[in-house]
Amino acid sequence: MRGVTRRDAPRGSGPRASADAIIRGIDPYAITTLEQLRAVYPEPAERAVLKELDHLDEHCRDFIARSPFVLVASANGRGECDVSPKGGPPGFVRTSGDRQILIPDATGNRRLDSLQNMLENPRVGLVFLIPGMGETLRVNGGVELTRDPALLDGLATGGRAAKLALVVTVEQAYLHCAKSILRSRLWDQSTWQAAEDLPSAAAILNDHIGIGDLAASAAALADSYTNRI
C-alpha cells in the first residue's frame, strides 16, 4: 500500500479544523464579514489605492530586472495554498511588453505543488525582492505554463536551462512599502544569527523523513546544492 501523502491526509483535525470552527462562529472574536474587518482597519489612504497599475511601467520592469528572488503564491481548485520561492541572477525573470512576465522553472524536488495548482486554478500572486531594498513589488494575474522554445530561449535559473516557464499576464502591479522589511530588519546584517547557531537543514530533514543517518542526510543535501542547482 502506498504511503499517505500530505495531500491524502485526513483533514478533520489540526489547524484546518480550528479554521472550520472559526467559520462556524464558535470563536466570538472571529472576523467573518467585511464590515467587521473595516471596524478594525479604516479605509486605505488615497495614495495606497492610486498606486495600483494594471500593467508594468518602466519602474516595474526595472525592479523585476534587478530582482534575484521572487515568491510565487498559488492555490488549487479547493483553495489550498502554496508559496514557492524562485531565485536566480538578477534578470532571471524577464518581462515582455507591459503585461507579460516570464519566470523560468528549475528542476527541484519534482513535487510540482505550485505547478499543479496553476493547472487547476491559473492565477498567481508574486512578490519580488531586491537585496538591500525595503520596498517590494507585488504583482497579481493569470498564469499559463509553456514549453515554447521561443519563450524558453535564454531563460535560466543560474545554472541550467529552464524546462518550462510561467507566463504571467499582469492584472495588478504596485510597489509595497518597506515597513515589513524595516520591522524585521531583514537586510541589517548586525541582526543576522551566526551561521553555527542556525538550525541544521540536514538535521531537520533527517528527522522529518526518518532517514536515521544524519551524515547521509547532510551529504545528500550538500550534493543537491552543489550538483543539482
Side-chain angles (χ1 to χ4, degrees):
M1 180 182 297
R2 69 183 179 89
V4 176
T5 68
R6 285 180 172 80
R7 287 183 178 247
D8 300 324
R11 305 182 181 278
S13 60
R16 182 176 296 276
S18 299
D20 291 342
I22 291 175
I23 293 172
R24 291 196 301 270
I26 294 175
D27 182 356
Y29 300 101
I31 293 175
T32 59
T33 68
L34 179 57
E35 290 74 16
Q36 291 173 324
L37 189 59
R38 278 298 174 201
V40 179
Y41 298 101
E43 294 290 337
E46 185 179 33
R47 62 183 295 174
V49 177
L50 294 179
K51 69 179 181 179
E52 180 183 318
L53 305 177
D54 63 358
H55 64 282
L56 302 173
D57 69 354
E58 66 274 17
H59 300 296
C60 295
R61 294 192 296 271
D62 180 61
F63 196 110
I64 292 171
R66 295 173 183 271
S67 173
F69 187 79
V70 60
L71 297 166
V72 181
S74 62
N76 64 21
R78 297 182 297 277
E80 297 164 343
C81 301
D82 182 73
V83 178
S84 176
K86 298 189 181 299
F92 85 102
V93 175
R94 292 200 314 227
T95 58
S96 178
D98 64 359
R99 295 294 300 276
Q100 193 174 82
I101 297 174
L102 304 176
I103 305 175
D105 189 75
T107 301
N109 56 26
R110 299 185 295 278
R111 283 179 53 109
L112 307 182
D113 297 282
S114 293
L115 300 182
Q116 290 183 78
N117 287 350
M118 294 170 201
L119 295 177
E120 294 183 25
N121 179 12
R123 304 191 62 76
V124 292
L126 312 175
V127 176
F128 290 93
L129 289 88
I130 298 175
M133 183 170 181
E135 290 77 14
T136 58
L137 182 69
R138 293 173 61 169
V139 179
N140 300 314
V143 65
E144 298 178 7
L145 307 180
T146 184
R147 296 182 62 196
D148 184 343
L151 293 179
L152 293 180
D153 183 38
L155 280 182
T157 57
R160 300 189 179 196
K163 290 191 173 183
L164 60 82
L166 283 58
V167 183
V168 179
T169 300
V170 176
E171 296 174 3
Q172 296 172 302
Y174 55 94
L175 195 69
H176 190 89
C177 76
K179 291 177 183 176
S180 63
I181 302 296
L182 294 173
R183 292 171 186 145
S184 68
R185 300 176 69 184
L186 181 64
W187 306 125
D188 183 351
Q189 294 188 36
S190 69
T191 70
W192 295 0
Q193 299 178 51
E196 59 269 20
D197 295 332
L198 294 175
S200 163
I204 293 170
L205 291 172
N206 186 68
D207 291 343
H208 285 183
I209 300 172
I211 296 175
D213 186 339
L214 181 57
S217 179
L221 194 63
D223 175 71
S224 174
Y225 289 161
T226 303
N227 300 315
R228 289 179 280 148
I229 294 178

